[in-house]
Amino acid sequence: MTIRRHHDMGGLDAGAVEQTEHDYAIWEKRVDAIVKVLSTPERKILSTDELRRGIEELGPGVYDNLNYYERWISSATNLLLEKGVITVDELGAKMADVEARWQKDRDTGS
Amino acid sequence: MSHDDHDHSHGHDHSHDEPHPYQPDIEDAPFTERMVMAQAVAELIVEKGIVSTDEMRAQIEFMDTREPALGAKLVARTWLDPEFKARVLTDVKAASAELGIDIGDIPIQAIENTEDVHNVVVCTLCSCYPRMLIGLPPDWYKSRAYRSRTIKEPRKVLEDFGTTIPDNVEVRVHDSTADLRYVVLPARPAGTDDWNEERLTDLVTRDSMIGVSLAKSPETA
């Protein structure tokens, strides 16, 4: 029996390929841009391999419950925390700030 | 960042033939925790002076320019110019540069469909894709079904796309990696002998460059 991690799915049985697609939303494009600008040769704060390692380490449950760019931002954020580029406190405060702003926008219908 | 920065852009600046809806789970929920996280990280890296808002915007705009039309132009040129095709098969980056297309630093290998061989591309481990040449991948390319089955039963997967490859044609599957991506050069459709490059380009679809379909035939173009 082959021991595999959950992302290593090549050759397994699965259902029909459903030809789904969607136009990328701006938040998805932003996640893509965050990773790319942090991976430039001048910065090298993130690498493709690190991003993938981080995605694979999300674990089977999280991996399957998140959509594609949700996995990317989860991995990228974990890497930034791991490398000390941002701190947990900064992230928590900023997320609360963003959420409060967006919630206010929703409530006021703007 | 402006207050409406998280709003969805409903512009259809996509590159394929039909408009597609956003994923329902995103459409229904105004925002998710990961969307908040993405915005927070974007603001933090700007506030820390690591990147500028202009660079972020420029990067998003740059990726919007990456679309299948770039790859289609390359393929159509290979149909018209055998010497160019030879250069594409040797060095996609240099050949693309001849057309003014910068594919960046991650190597792309071109693989040619012939009378005897049909090629199809997958990334079983993740989602590696020649994005600099044909844009961001469709959702199904990243799906469990496509990633799992393509290396095991490629002909059946191609059938899911309505593509039947005759038994006397070998099907080769190429599993992409982070360091090497593939683009398929579909075969030139019959009945296009007197066609110019512009018309030929319209026959080259994204899916034909992934290898799940053939180039469009003149009748369906």
Side-chain angles (χ1 to χ4, degrees):
Chain A
M1 171 181 169
T2 310
I3 305 294
R4 330 170 158 244
R5 296 182 68 194
H6 61 277
H7 67 276
D8 183 8
M9 57 186 75
L12 299 178
D13 293 327
V17 178
E18 293 177 26
Q19 291 175 54
T20 50
E21 39 195 301
H22 75 290
D23 290 334
Y24 287 100
I26 184 63
W27 80 269
E28 295 176 290
K29 295 179 180 181
R30 185 174 296 114
V31 172
D32 197 273
I34 288 169
V35 170
K36 293 304 161 191
V37 298
L38 294 178
S39 308
T40 58
E42 303 78 47
R43 294 199 183 89
K44 288 189 177 165
I45 295 173
L46 300 180
S47 75
T48 303
D49 299 322
E50 288 174 324
L51 185 76
R52 188 158 77 87
R53 189 259 293 170
I55 290 169
E56 289 161 6
E57 287 182 351
L58 291 173
V62 175
Y63 187 94
D64 290 320
N65 286 329
L66 297 182
N67 68 33
Y68 186 72
Y69 277 109
E70 288 181 328
R71 289 179 210 151
W72 271 45
I73 192 60
S74 300
S75 173
T77 303
N78 284 339
L79 289 167
L80 293 176
L81 293 168
E82 191 178 290
K83 290 163 185 267
V85 177
I86 60 174
T87 67
V88 172
D89 287 348
E90 287 171 335
L91 178 66
K94 182 58 84 177
M95 284 182 67
D97 177 43
V98 169
E99 187 162 1
R101 270 187 276 144
W102 287 4
Q103 193 64 48
K104 186 160 167 266
D105 288 349
R106 266 177 78 184
D107 295 344
T108 57
S110 63
Chain B
M1 298 266 169
S2 67
H3 72 282
D4 61 354
D5 207 50
H6 61 287
D7 285 350
H8 297 161
S9 161
H10 282 278
H12 287 293
D13 57 345
H14 54 80
S15 47
H16 14 277
D17 298 335
E18 301 291 333
H20 301 283
Y22 289 117
Q23 288 171 323
D25 60 328
I26 296 169
E27 187 79 81
D28 295 343
F31 50 83
T32 66
E33 185 185 349
R34 258 66 178 200
M35 288 162 73
V36 172
M37 183 182 281
Q39 182 66 26
V41 170
E43 293 184 20
L44 283 172
I45 60 177
V46 168
E47 286 169 18
K48 286 174 174 286
I50 299 169
V51 303
S52 68
T53 50
D54 283 349
E55 186 180 356
M56 284 291 290
R57 187 181 307 113
Q59 174 61 30
I60 290 171
E61 288 172 358
F62 174 75
M63 271 318 295
D64 281 343
T65 69
R66 302 288 106 173
E67 53 180 1
L70 298 177
K73 187 176 170 189
L74 184 91
V75 170
R77 182 69 63 89
T78 67
W79 289 346
L80 291 167
D81 182 346
E83 290 177 8
F84 181 74
K85 181 165 81 179
R87 294 200 292 280
V88 168
L89 290 170
T90 309
D91 186 341
V92 171
K93 183 176 173 69
S96 300
E98 291 181 40
L99 304 181
I101 303 166
D102 178 5
I103 66 157
D105 296 323
I106 299 174
I108 296 176
Q109 174 70 52
I111 39 184
E112 182 187 12
N113 286 348
T114 65
E115 288 180 357
D116 304 317
V117 177
H118 179 87
N119 297 283
V120 59
V121 177
V122 65
C123 177
T124 62
L125 290 174
C126 42
S127 58
C128 300
Y129 189 79
R131 53 189 274 151
M132 292 291 280
L133 190 58
I134 64 176
L136 295 173
D139 293 341
W140 56 258
Y141 185 83
K142 304 180 281 191
S143 71
R144 177 169 289 275
Y146 188 76
R147 289 168 54 190
S148 299
R149 290 176 51 220
T150 303
I151 62 168
K152 184 182 184 182
E153 44 185 19
R155 287 175 193 272
K156 287 186 182 169
V157 169
L158 292 174
E159 294 280 357
D160 288 350
F161 288 85
T163 304
T164 304
I165 303 299
D167 288 342
N168 64 334
V169 175
E170 180 188 347
V171 174
R172 287 186 193 157
V173 182
H174 303 264
D175 196 352
S176 312
T177 71
D179 303 312
L180 179 61
R181 287 104 196 265
Y182 298 95
V183 64
V184 174
L185 305 182
R188 181 173 178 168
T192 59
D193 287 354
D194 56 348
W195 285 38
N196 65 19
E197 183 170 313
E198 190 182 350
R199 289 181 76 195
L200 289 171
T201 301
D202 289 338
L203 300 178
V204 186
T205 62
R206 177 197 67 201
D207 287 2
S208 73
M209 293 183 282
I210 302 172
V212 294
S213 68
L214 309 178
K216 287 191 275 190
S217 65
E219 300 80 47
T220 59

